[in-house]
Amino acid sequence: MLNASYEPLCVVPCRRAVVLVLAEKADIVHDTGEELHSERLSVPVPSVIRLRYFVKVPYRRRAALNRRAVFARDHNRCQYCGAHAESIDHVVPRSRGGEHAWENVVAACRPCNAHKRDRLLEETSMRLSRRPSVPRELTWLIVAVGQVPEHWEQYLRPLASAATTATPALA
Ligand SMILES: [Zn+2]
Protein backbone atom coordinates (compact mmCIF):
# COMPACT_ATOMS: atom_id res chain seq x y z
CA MET A 1 0.00 0.00 0.00
CA LEU A 2 1.41 3.34 -1.07
CA ASN A 3 0.74 6.69 0.48
CA ALA A 4 -0.89 9.38 -1.66
CA SER A 5 2.70 10.59 -2.10
CA TYR A 6 3.66 7.15 -3.51
CA GLU A 7 5.73 6.40 -0.46
CA PRO A 8 5.35 2.71 0.43
CA LEU A 9 3.48 2.39 3.73
CA CYS A 10 2.92 -1.23 4.53
CA VAL A 11 1.84 -4.61 3.25
CA VAL A 12 -1.87 -5.33 3.58
CA PRO A 13 -3.80 -8.49 2.84
CA CYS A 14 -5.44 -8.60 -0.57
CA ARG A 15 -8.93 -8.53 0.95
CA ARG A 16 -8.15 -5.30 2.80
CA ALA A 17 -6.78 -3.75 -0.39
CA VAL A 18 -9.98 -4.60 -2.26
CA VAL A 19 -12.09 -3.09 0.53
CA LEU A 20 -10.11 0.16 0.34
CA VAL A 21 -10.50 0.29 -3.42
CA LEU A 22 -14.24 -0.43 -3.30
CA ALA A 23 -14.64 2.24 -0.62
CA GLU A 24 -12.88 4.66 -2.98
CA LYS A 25 -10.18 5.28 -0.43
CA ALA A 26 -7.48 3.89 -2.67
CA ASP A 27 -6.80 3.25 -6.33
CA ILE A 28 -5.22 0.25 -7.93
CA VAL A 29 -1.79 1.14 -9.24
CA HIS A 30 -0.83 -2.36 -10.30
CA ASP A 31 -3.06 -5.41 -10.54
CA THR A 32 -2.18 -9.06 -10.79
CA GLY A 33 -4.19 -9.67 -13.93
CA GLU A 34 -6.59 -11.84 -12.00
CA GLU A 35 -10.10 -10.85 -11.01
CA LEU A 36 -12.25 -11.29 -7.96
CA HIS A 37 -15.88 -11.97 -8.73
CA SER A 38 -18.95 -11.43 -6.68
CA GLU A 39 -22.55 -11.66 -7.80
CA ARG A 40 -22.69 -8.11 -9.07
CA LEU A 41 -19.18 -6.99 -9.80
CA SER A 42 -15.72 -8.14 -10.67
CA VAL A 43 -12.65 -6.38 -9.36
CA PRO A 44 -9.07 -6.75 -10.53
CA VAL A 45 -6.94 -8.33 -7.78
CA PRO A 46 -4.72 -5.47 -6.61
CA SER A 47 -1.02 -5.93 -6.13
CA VAL A 48 -0.16 -2.30 -5.47
CA ILE A 49 -2.67 0.30 -4.28
CA ARG A 50 -2.29 3.99 -3.59
CA LEU A 51 -4.30 5.84 -0.96
CA ARG A 52 -6.33 8.83 -2.12
CA TYR A 53 -5.49 10.70 1.07
CA PHE A 54 -2.13 11.42 2.63
CA VAL A 55 -1.18 9.51 5.75
CA LYS A 56 1.30 11.27 7.96
CA VAL A 57 4.11 8.97 9.04
CA PRO A 58 5.60 10.63 12.11
CA TYR A 59 8.75 8.57 12.25
CA ARG A 60 10.20 5.59 10.53
CA ARG A 61 9.38 2.70 12.72
CA ARG A 62 12.23 0.59 13.94
CA ALA A 63 11.89 -2.89 12.52
CA ALA A 64 10.41 -5.27 15.08
CA LEU A 65 13.03 -7.52 16.57
CA ASN A 66 12.08 -11.14 16.33
CA ARG A 67 13.65 -14.40 15.32
CA ARG A 68 12.34 -14.36 11.78
CA ALA A 69 13.53 -10.80 11.20
CA VAL A 70 17.01 -11.55 12.56
CA PHE A 71 17.27 -14.58 10.29
CA ALA A 72 16.19 -12.45 7.32
CA ARG A 73 18.74 -9.76 8.13
CA ASP A 74 21.52 -12.32 8.50
CA HIS A 75 20.42 -14.32 5.44
CA ASN A 76 19.95 -17.43 7.59
CA ARG A 77 23.71 -17.63 8.05
CA CYS A 78 25.60 -18.07 11.28
CA GLN A 79 27.38 -14.76 11.81
CA TYR A 80 30.36 -16.55 13.35
CA CYS A 81 31.10 -19.33 10.89
CA GLY A 82 28.71 -18.94 7.94
CA ALA A 83 26.92 -22.24 8.49
CA HIS A 84 23.13 -22.51 8.31
CA ALA A 85 21.78 -20.63 11.31
CA GLU A 86 19.36 -22.31 13.67
CA SER A 87 19.33 -20.05 16.68
CA ILE A 88 19.71 -16.51 17.89
CA ASP A 89 22.81 -15.52 19.83
CA HIS A 90 23.24 -12.49 22.05
CA VAL A 91 26.72 -11.20 21.24
CA VAL A 92 27.04 -9.80 24.75
CA PRO A 93 25.18 -12.47 26.71
CA ARG A 94 22.10 -11.34 28.57
CA SER A 95 23.67 -12.72 31.76
CA ARG A 96 26.51 -10.24 31.20
CA GLY A 97 24.22 -7.27 30.69
CA GLY A 98 23.73 -7.65 26.93
CA GLU A 99 20.57 -6.10 25.55
CA HIS A 100 17.95 -7.81 23.46
CA ALA A 101 18.46 -5.32 20.63
CA TRP A 102 19.27 -5.45 16.94
CA GLU A 103 22.84 -4.40 17.65
CA ASN A 104 23.35 -7.31 20.03
CA VAL A 105 21.63 -10.25 18.36
CA VAL A 106 22.86 -12.39 15.50
CA ALA A 107 21.78 -15.56 13.78
CA ALA A 108 24.01 -18.46 14.80
CA CYS A 109 24.39 -22.15 14.19
CA ARG A 110 23.92 -24.53 17.07
CA PRO A 111 27.60 -25.48 17.49
CA CYS A 112 28.70 -21.81 17.63
CA ASN A 113 25.91 -20.96 20.03
CA ALA A 114 26.88 -23.87 22.27
CA HIS A 115 30.58 -23.07 22.02
CA LYS A 116 30.13 -19.41 22.94
CA ARG A 117 27.82 -20.03 25.88
CA ASP A 118 27.66 -16.99 28.16
CA ARG A 119 31.10 -15.69 27.29
CA LEU A 120 32.02 -12.36 25.78
CA LEU A 121 33.45 -12.48 22.29
CA GLU A 122 36.87 -11.43 23.61
CA GLU A 123 36.89 -14.51 25.83
CA THR A 124 36.57 -16.76 22.80
CA SER A 125 38.41 -17.14 19.52
CA MET A 126 35.18 -16.42 17.66
CA ARG A 127 34.65 -13.47 15.39
CA LEU A 128 31.59 -11.83 13.90
CA SER A 129 31.50 -11.64 10.12
CA ARG A 130 29.98 -8.17 10.47
CA ARG A 131 28.71 -5.87 13.14
CA PRO A 132 24.99 -6.41 13.73
CA SER A 133 22.81 -3.37 13.11
CA VAL A 134 19.21 -2.31 12.77
CA PRO A 135 18.00 -3.53 9.37
CA ARG A 136 17.26 -0.81 6.91
CA GLU A 137 15.48 -0.45 3.66
CA LEU A 138 13.38 -3.38 2.65
CA THR A 139 14.08 -5.94 5.31
CA TRP A 140 10.80 -5.34 7.12
CA LEU A 141 8.96 -5.81 3.87
CA ILE A 142 10.72 -9.02 2.98
CA VAL A 143 9.95 -10.27 6.45
CA ALA A 144 6.29 -9.32 6.05
CA VAL A 145 5.70 -11.06 2.74
CA GLY A 146 8.45 -13.63 2.51
CA GLN A 147 9.61 -12.30 -0.84
CA VAL A 148 9.00 -9.12 -2.77
CA PRO A 149 7.32 -9.50 -6.17
CA GLU A 150 9.55 -8.17 -8.95
CA HIS A 151 7.08 -5.52 -10.11
CA TRP A 152 7.04 -4.00 -6.60
CA GLU A 153 10.60 -2.83 -6.93
CA GLN A 154 9.82 0.29 -8.95
CA TYR A 155 7.47 1.40 -6.15
CA LEU A 156 9.95 0.61 -3.40
CA ARG A 157 12.80 2.82 -4.53
CA PRO A 158 11.50 5.89 -2.68
CA LEU A 159 11.42 3.81 0.48
CA ALA A 160 14.99 2.65 0.09
CA SER A 161 16.26 6.22 -0.18
CA ALA A 162 13.90 7.53 2.52
CA ALA A 163 14.96 4.78 4.89
CA THR A 164 18.61 5.59 4.35
CA THR A 165 18.13 9.21 5.27
CA ALA A 166 15.35 8.91 7.84
CA THR A 167 16.59 5.98 9.92
CA PRO A 168 18.03 7.39 13.12
CA ALA A 169 21.72 6.77 13.59
CA LEU A 170 22.61 3.86 15.82
CA ALA A 171 22.96 4.88 19.42
ZN1 LIG B 1 28.43 -21.12 13.43
Side-chain angles (χ1 to χ4, degrees):
M1 181 165 84
L2 307 175
N3 211 340
S5 60
Y6 284 95
E7 181 196 14
L9 284 176
C10 57
V11 181
V12 296
C14 184
R15 181 185 294 261
R16 169 96 183 118
V18 170
V19 167
L20 287 166
V21 169
L22 291 179
E24 299 187 337
K25 288 181 177 164
D27 296 301
I28 296 175
V29 176
H30 194 108
D31 66 66
T32 60
E34 291 165 48
E35 287 200 336
L36 282 174
H37 298 280
S38 75
E39 272 175 39
R40 279 171 299 146
L41 77 170
S42 64
V43 190
V45 176
S47 176
V48 180
I49 60 167
R50 177 181 166 229
L51 288 174
R52 289 191 178 181
Y53 53 95
F54 183 75
V55 173
K56 222 173 168 183
V57 186
Y59 61 93
R60 186 141 316 266
R61 193 177 31 191
R62 203 170 153 103
L65 174 57
N66 58 48
R67 185 186 163 88
R68 197 175 164 197
V70 172
F71 275 56
R73 182 197 65 183
D74 294 345
H75 308 290
N76 298 304
R77 293 276 150 218
C78 173
Q79 296 301 291
Y80 298 110
C81 75
H84 183 74
E86 296 153 294
S87 58
I88 297 294
D89 182 66
H90 289 90
V91 180
V92 176
R94 304 214 73 180
S95 61
R96 310 281 292 263
E99 273 186 81
H100 187 63
W102 278 110
E103 297 87 342
N104 193 45
V105 293
V106 290
C109 70
R110 229 164 280 205
C112 283
N113 208 357
H115 178 72
K116 186 162 168 290
R117 302 195 311 272
D118 59 349
R119 294 184 292 174
L120 298 172
L121 218 48
E122 306 87 271
E123 299 166 359
T124 70
S125 56
M126 301 165 78
R127 255 195 219 158
L128 280 171
S129 55
R130 60 178 179 159
R131 188 167 154 257
S133 60
V134 183
R136 294 179 180 205
E137 298 163 14
L138 309 177
T139 307
W140 62 269
L141 225 154
I142 295 161
V143 168
V145 295
Q147 62 172 1
V148 174
E150 207 174 302
H151 66 262
W152 281 15
E153 279 170 23
Q154 58 180 305
Y155 304 105
L156 292 173
R157 271 188 218 113
L159 173 75
S161 56
T164 311
T165 52
T167 306
L170 302 179

